[in-house]
């Protein structure tokens, strides 16, 4: 019986060989899929790759300090572009452009990767950049990757890129550290990196892109509309929900009927005003919040319960549509804001709003002048001192009316008819 069991066990082992341990399997895949210390983790221009290979042949004694910076222009527009640059005392300038989900982190992260792979494997390197978020994520996701949970690895923005950074750092024999430097504070190398990153926006060529298949830490990545999600999946779904409800709301027939310049309306700003900067996906609600939201929507669409609407709706209760304050003309949605009897109340509202703006402006001005004195003590060029000038209620009201082309009696007295744009 023992001989039969031994024979069966031997046949089973031959038919189903045991899988290697998890760490052994990862090491085997890493050595088989990608040669160590190669550039196949990143897709880039061949000329840049050749220059970096030549640079990696020269190891310097001590720690090599490299400065990296990113640049992003036209955020929120179709022509949004991101670029980065890497400079240093012993580091030739490396520039590149990136694509994907636009944020200030993406170009800074690609600059970090470029600085690491441009350094010899046995060289201790310190990357210095002025983005605190990237430095924190490097320490949390890369340095402490063994202690980081799977949830933390997956839910961070640009999870695949950080997995590539972790693999590149693990392949190096030299140490890799990342430090934060305060931007625009007289550091010549930080200023050089900032200038080179802005100049990189004009580059035309192959954009830098990581190869997700070269990392074996994250087994799954989420996709939406055929594109890999570079941000947290939950956050992407929340943004999708917000945009879907926003699109449904703005597509209502009554909105198109009541809003004349439908295509020229800033709908994102409108949604933020209506919901008091509370995203739709928070599901926050209260009686006060509901009343304020309803009031804002009625003001935007000209649906306030004015006397002309109430008289048309219930002529048995409202005998006429005259304004109950001035008793001079019909009360409609425009007369609510132009009634001479409510002028004092409107002025008080304007004064309260402008008072808050003046308060914030004075605080910002004092903070700027205080920083100005600090820079002067540090030997920098003394910037000009600024002062906050409070504006008048009448000037702000006139400017707002000119923006929306809505002349008032005050403007007519000055000869303004509303035909020209402010």
């Amino acid at each position: 019986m023992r001989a039969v069991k031994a024979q069966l066990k031997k046949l089973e082992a031959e038919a189903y060989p045991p899988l290697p341990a998890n760490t052994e399997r990862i090491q085997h895949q890493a050595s088989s899929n990608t040669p160590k210390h190669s550039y196949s983790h990143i897709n880039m221009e061949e000329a840049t790759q050749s220059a970096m290979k030549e640079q990696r042949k020269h190891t310097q004694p001590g720690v090599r300090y490299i400065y990296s910076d990113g640049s992003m222009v036209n955020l929120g527009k179709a022509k949004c572009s991101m670029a980065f640059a890497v400079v240093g005392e012993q580091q030739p300038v490396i520039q590149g452009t990136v694509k994907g989900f636009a944020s200030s982190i993406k170009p800074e992260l690609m600059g970090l990767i470029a600085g690491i792979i441009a350094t010899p494997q046995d060289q201790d390197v310190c990357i210095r950049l002025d983005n605190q978020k990237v430095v924190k994520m490097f320490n949390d996701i890369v340095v402490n990757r063994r202690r980081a949970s799977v949830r933390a690895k997956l839910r961070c923005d640009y999870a695949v890129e950080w997995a590539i950074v972790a693999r590149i750092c693990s392949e190096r024999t030299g140490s890799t550290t990342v430090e934060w430097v305060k931007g625009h504070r007289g550091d010549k190398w930080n200023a050089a990196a900032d200038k080179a990153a802005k100049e990189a926006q004009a580059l035309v060529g192959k954009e830098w892109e990581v190869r997700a298949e070269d990392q074996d830490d994250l087994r799954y990545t989420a996709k939406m509309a055929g594109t890999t999600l570079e941000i947290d999946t939950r956050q992407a779904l929340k943004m999708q929900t917000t945009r879907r409800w926003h699109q449904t709301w703005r597509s209502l027939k009554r909105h198109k009927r009541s809003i004349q310049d439908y295509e020229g309306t800033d709908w994102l700003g409108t949604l933020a005003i209506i919901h008091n900067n509370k995203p739709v996906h928070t599901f926050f609600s209260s009686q006060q919040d509901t009343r304020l939201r309803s009031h804002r929507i009625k003001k935007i669409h000209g649906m306030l319960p004015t006397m002309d609407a109430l008289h048309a709706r219930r002529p048995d209760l409202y005998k006429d549509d005259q304004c109950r304050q001035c008793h001079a003309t019909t009360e409609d949605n425009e007369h609510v804001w132009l009634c001479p009897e409510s002028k004092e109340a409107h002025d008080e509202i304007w004064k309260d709003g402008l008072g808050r703006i003046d308060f914030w402006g004075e605080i910002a001005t004092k903070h700027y002048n205080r920083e100005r004195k600090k820079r002067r003590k540090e030997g920098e060029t003394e910037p000009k001192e600024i002062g906050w000038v409070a504006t008048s209620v009448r000037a702000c009201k006139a400017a707002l009316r000119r923006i929306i082309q809505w002349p008032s009696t005050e403007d007519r007295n000055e000869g303004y008819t509303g035909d020209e744009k402010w």
Side-chain angles (χ1 to χ4, degrees):
M1 180 62 93
R2 292 181 179 178
V4 173
K5 289 184 178 180
Q7 186 65 21
L8 290 174
K9 190 173 183 179
K10 182 178 179 181
L11 293 174
E12 183 180 0
E14 293 177 355
Y16 305 100
L19 293 174
N22 188 39
T23 55
E24 295 176 358
R25 184 164 65 253
I26 291 177
Q27 292 175 359
H28 172 71
Q29 292 176 356
S31 60
S32 59
N33 293 343
T34 307
K36 224 175 183 183
H37 310 329
S38 72
Y39 290 89
S40 59
H41 301 309
I42 312 294
N43 295 326
M44 68 181 80
E45 290 282 354
E46 293 184 1
T48 305
Q49 181 174 334
S50 301
M52 295 175 68
K53 282 184 178 180
E54 181 65 26
Q55 181 184 347
R56 288 176 61 164
K57 297 178 182 179
H58 308 288
T59 303
Q60 303 293 335
V63 180
R64 176 179 292 186
Y65 292 94
I66 296 178
Y67 289 78
S68 171
D69 199 5
S71 172
M72 179 174 59
V73 296
N74 299 325
L75 178 62
K77 300 180 180 179
K79 296 183 179 180
C80 178
S81 60
M82 297 175 288
F84 66 89
V86 176
V87 300
E89 187 173 356
Q90 304 172 353
Q91 171 66 46
V93 178
I94 299 175
Q95 296 173 309
T97 57
V98 294
K99 61 181 180 180
F101 183 79
S103 74
S104 60
I105 297 178
K106 184 65 177 287
E108 297 275 2
L109 176 55
M110 294 305 296
L112 171 64
I113 295 176
I116 296 175
I117 63 178
T119 309
Q121 296 293 324
D122 55 349
Q123 173 80 63
D124 295 337
V125 61
C126 177
I127 311 294
R128 291 177 173 175
L129 40 85
D130 56 7
N131 192 304
Q132 291 181 330
K133 181 69 173 179
V134 175
V135 176
K136 183 179 184 303
M137 293 181 70
F138 179 83
N139 294 326
D140 295 342
I141 306 299
V142 179
V143 177
N144 301 321
R145 195 165 187 81
R146 292 186 178 181
R147 295 197 297 265
S149 63
V150 178
R151 181 186 180 91
K153 297 176 185 178
L154 287 173
R155 294 200 60 182
C156 69
D157 293 343
Y158 310 105
V160 175
E161 282 79 359
W162 284 116
I164 293 294
V165 173
R167 177 170 180 179
I168 294 174
C169 293
S170 65
E171 293 175 352
R172 302 186 74 256
T173 56
S175 63
T176 306
T177 56
V178 179
E179 295 181 354
W180 175 74
V181 294
K182 199 168 185 179
H184 309 287
R185 286 297 183 269
D187 192 319
K188 66 176 184 178
W189 291 113
N190 178 259
D194 179 72
K195 180 180 179 181
K198 293 178 180 177
E199 294 174 350
Q201 292 286 351
L203 294 179
V204 178
K206 192 174 184 180
E207 296 170 320
W208 285 49
E209 185 180 6
V210 301
R211 295 181 54 183
E213 60 272 15
D214 285 350
Q215 58 84 27
D216 24 45
D217 194 0
L218 304 178
R219 299 178 59 185
Y220 307 100
T221 55
K223 289 189 176 183
M224 180 177 292
T227 305
T228 302
L229 286 179
E230 295 184 321
I231 61 174
D232 178 22
T233 306
R234 292 189 179 186
Q235 183 65 22
L237 293 176
K238 289 179 179 179
M239 293 173 59
Q240 185 188 50
T241 303
T242 301
R243 295 299 178 91
R244 182 184 293 116
W245 281 109
H246 191 191
Q247 181 65 27
T248 303
W249 179 79
R250 62 171 286 192
S251 301
L252 296 177
K253 291 183 179 179
R254 64 177 183 179
H255 296 173
K256 296 181 179 180
R257 183 174 58 253
S258 59
I259 299 178
Q260 302 299 327
D261 190 9
Y262 181 80
E263 296 297 334
T265 302
D266 182 6
W267 289 103
L268 289 178
T270 304
L271 184 69
I273 293 173
I274 291 175
H275 294 282
N276 197 22
N277 288 326
K278 296 183 179 68
V280 179
H281 57 74
T282 59
F283 299 107
F284 170 81
S285 182
S286 64
Q287 291 185 355
Q288 181 182 6
D289 185 68
T290 303
R291 286 195 296 268
L292 289 175
R293 187 185 296 114
S294 175
H295 182 66
R296 295 188 188 108
I297 292 175
K298 290 178 180 178
K299 284 193 297 185
I300 290 175
H301 299 309
M303 298 167 59
L304 291 174
T306 53
M307 289 304 301
D308 62 338
L310 295 177
H311 175 67
R313 197 177 304 163
R314 294 294 302 272
D316 56 327
L317 295 180
Y318 304 94
K319 303 303 180 181
D320 55 56
D321 57 1
Q322 295 297 308
C323 176
R324 293 300 186 262
Q325 293 193 67
C326 64
H327 300 280
T329 183
T330 301
E331 183 189 61
D332 53 16
N333 282 273
E334 291 188 7
H335 181 75
V336 169
W337 313 106
L338 300 175
C339 181
E341 296 297 328
S342 59
K343 185 176 183 302
E344 294 183 0
H346 291 167
D347 290 343
E348 288 297 327
I349 295 174
W350 276 96
K351 288 179 181 179
D352 178 67
L354 292 177
R356 298 185 183 186
I357 295 176
D358 289 339
F359 176 73
W360 298 329
E362 290 175 359
I363 292 178
T365 303
K366 291 179 181 178
H367 176 74
Y368 176 86
N369 292 330
R370 188 163 54 248
E371 291 293 326
R372 165 182 166 273
K373 293 180 180 179
K374 291 181 181 179
R375 297 179 195 176
R376 184 178 57 183
K377 292 180 180 179
E378 295 173 358
E380 297 184 23
T381 304
E382 181 180 355
K384 295 181 179 180
E385 184 175 358
I386 62 174
W388 179 260
V389 179
T391 186
S392 64
V393 174
R394 187 169 181 271
C396 287
K397 291 171 66 176
L400 181 60
R401 285 193 295 268
R402 282 167 168 77
I403 291 174
I404 62 178
Q405 295 186 345
W406 181 18
S408 68
T409 54
E410 298 175 359
D411 296 320
R412 293 192 186 100
N413 294 335
E414 296 177 0
Y416 175 74
T417 61
D419 297 329
E420 60 188 29
K421 292 186 177 181
W422 181 74

